[in-house]
Amino acid sequence: MQFKVEVNNQTQIFDINKVAKQASGAALLRVGNTVVLATVSRDETPVEEDFLPLTVQYIEKQYAAGRIPGGYIKRETKPGDFETLTSRIVDRSLRPLFPKGYAYPTQIVVMVLSADPEVDLQVVALNAASVALYLSDIPVNRAVCGVRIACIEDKFIINPSNSELKNSSLDLYLAGVGDELLMIEMRSLPTLEEHIMPIVAIDPLMTSAISPELGVKQKMNEFSEDKILQAIEFGAKAIKLGTGAYEAAFANYKKPDAIFEYKSEIQNEAINQYIDGFYKDDVKAAINQMAKSERASELNKIADDIFGSDVAQKENWSKEEISNILGKYKRKIIRSQIINDRKRADGRALNEVRPISIETNILPNAHGSCLFTRGQTQALVVTTLGTDSDVQMSELLTEKSSVAERFMFNYNFPGFSVGEASPLKAPGRRELGHGNLAKRALFPSVDLESPYSIRVVSEILESNGSSSMASVCGGALALKAAGVDTIKLVAGVAMGLIFEDDKHAILTDIMGLEDHDGDMDFKVAGTHDGITALQMDIKLGGISSEVLREALYQAKEGREHILGIMEKAEQEIVINEEVLPKLEFFSVDPGKIVDIIGQAGKTIKEIIEKFGVSVDLDRDKGEVKIAGGERKSVEAAKDYIIEITQRDNSKGFSKHKKPQNINFSVGEEFEGEVKTMAKFGAFVSLRDGIDGLLHISKIKSELKEGDKLRVKVTEIKHGKVSLDLA
């Protein structure tokens, strides 16, 4: 049975009851030439534990793009980062829909069977999974809709094509049901704008350099709180339309709800009264134990004490009942203190950030490092600079060729950070998700034309609330500590929200306790000028735009407070010049690249061996990149290559007469006129009809033909005059 749904700038063709009919629910969705299959399956027996055993797996099949998997094994194996992150998006969007007490192992699988390069796979994956779940016999009676919002030329676009998204300054992903938002992911995207500047050599520590061939520079886009709210409201209308369209199309085809046994919330008012009468102060004291391990230990002691009491023995209270009621009592105390007393467990004001300490370059052999500590959350963030050979290569179904990532961010969360003796394992969905959030926050500040490949690693050493935002702050300073001239500092803060009846409280810089027992948590990262990344998960249904506005502006206050502390730390950075890789990036006449290579590569091999450097050449653009461990060797190799490009080789400079009888002296100065501009420099008239070459590496400001400037002779070799600015 086929349904065509025209909604949110897409024609969505659903086939139901056609494939995977033994699953609890299934939907085959086609958008453009993209086809995905979403299935929902469940077990007949619930788990004993009190949690929702939901697994979401998004899988890309290489045949969907007409490819055979690379590597030795020619089949799909471990999921890539994009697959894992997409699985996480689908999970976070659909998990809130399951009824309380549902404990049957459930698996949602989304398989990409055909991939259209212009279709957003994450939007299609969520909507297919949502319809499959809605059609199943699981009592989920609302359909989630996912949309992506772009901003191109200050205009919002629903579900842009992948090509359109590349020209957007905003990437906003929303998921919700009806009027209720469930999840928000946002990042700002840097754009390139025209910039009339001369072609200059790139200093190794200046990554904000100009792209020689494009004549453009990177614009860092940040979004104000009001602009983000406008985009969210725009997307919320699209979600409402999508939800309505799905429910109207499929309501009559939904399977009858199966009969389930739900886990009942263990309620025993007598235990609650006993705790309130004899252990209220003990619970409050345990709440104020800041470390998660200490707090859990204190609460376990209270539960053991109650279980061992005469009353518990006479009333036959079980340890499970006591622990369950104690957890609910703890939650009630925490929320009551915040809502009624405007007091947090650690004594902070609702909008107060925990104390922050920052140390930079504490690792002598690392390129850049920062130890960022906020309360009992601590991140050691390390930056490493590499060359073109160090880029992260990945394959995406919507891209024809491999994608090279020059900026990487890895996040690690060992068990000892929360006092647990757990084994170290490969990064899971949480680690990848937190690392991706930090990467999205920092990426707009790292210039696209940086000559380096950059890897940032965050090692979480302590965690009590928002280690991902500590990673953002530490990452911004670790980049600076490695000499990377980022466009602006970026800071992040985690916010919380608690609702009780008609009251609400917004919390700045939440700790783990407040995250666990709150109604919403969201993380906001950005600069003084606006937001670069945002992530929000809403645990309760619906949130008004007024409360969201209040929360975003309170987050802005916290972010600016943190940025002020970071700016002071930035001023105290001492860069490890001795350990930084040395790199020179400059342009020459493309016709001279063949001279640098030499016959059968002889010349370039000699350069590499003689100076101990690596050399990358771009024949078409005339770009030369030299990297090495010692600055002297790199600079010497650069000078040698420039000297090769200025040799006559019996050809001379085209369009320029070979000078005869040069009567100049090194150091002699002239008031010259720019005769010709070339990619590799400017020819300046001197006297006697002789021109000199002012190389591109010597030019400090914009030059054009006819400009007057004072120059001096630096070298006379092979009938050529080399100049520098006087």
Side-chain angles (χ1 to χ4, degrees), residues 34-69:
T34 286
V35 180
V36 300
L37 170 64
T39 62
V40 179
S41 303
R42 61 170 178 81
D43 285 351
E44 297 291 340
T45 306
V47 297
E48 294 184 2
E49 296 81 8
D50 186 15
F51 77 103
L52 171 60
L54 173 65
T55 302
V56 177
Q57 290 180 287
Y58 166 86
I59 302 168
E60 293 182 343
K61 298 296 183 178
Q62 291 298 304
Y63 55 68
R67 298 179 192 157
I68 296 175

Side-chain angles (χ1 to χ4, degrees), residues 432-595:
L432 290 174
H434 281 30
N436 184 58
L437 175 59
K439 176 183 176 180
R440 289 189 287 117
L442 292 172
F443 178 73
S445 71
V446 180
D447 198 284
L448 296 172
E449 296 302 323
S450 168
Y452 291 108
S453 296
I454 303 171
R455 181 183 184 229
V456 183
V457 179
S458 177
E459 308 285 2
I460 303 304
L461 306 184
E462 290 185 60
S463 180
N464 187 9
S466 191
S467 54
S468 64
M469 294 296 95
S471 299
V472 171
C473 300
L477 288 169
L479 287 166
K480 290 287 187 181
V484 179
D485 188 16
T486 53
I487 300 171
K488 296 177 185 177
L489 279 179
V490 177
V493 62
M495 308 294 293
L497 185 61
I498 292 177
F499 279 97
E500 287 290 341
D501 299 324
D502 59 344
K503 297 180 180 179
H504 73 273
I506 298 169
L507 308 177
T508 299
D509 181 26
I510 57 173
M511 52 185 177
L513 189 69
E514 296 163 337
D515 185 7
H516 182 269
D517 292 319
D519 296 316
M520 181 181 75
D521 73 280
F522 62 104
K523 302 173 179 70
V524 188
T527 68
H528 283 299
D529 299 316
I531 298 170
T532 59
L534 171 67
Q535 179 177 293
M536 183 181 299
D537 290 297
I538 303 169
K539 304 173 188 176
L540 75 168
I543 178 173
S544 69
S545 59
E546 291 77 15
V547 172
L548 188 55
R549 180 184 301 274
E550 181 185 350
L552 285 173
Y553 274 97
Q554 187 169 315
K556 181 180 180 181
E557 293 176 4
R559 185 174 78 244
E560 290 183 335
H561 167 75
I562 297 169
L563 281 168
I565 298 173
M566 291 172 61
E567 286 164 353
K568 293 178 181 177
E570 180 189 7
Q571 295 173 2
E572 299 174 0
I573 291 175
V574 179
I575 296 175
N576 292 337
E577 296 278 4
E578 297 78 14
V579 300
L580 289 180
K582 309 304 182 287
L583 190 148
E584 285 283 348
F585 183 38
F586 57 97
S587 295
V588 300
D589 179 357
K592 293 291 183 178
I593 294 292
V594 66
D595 295 334

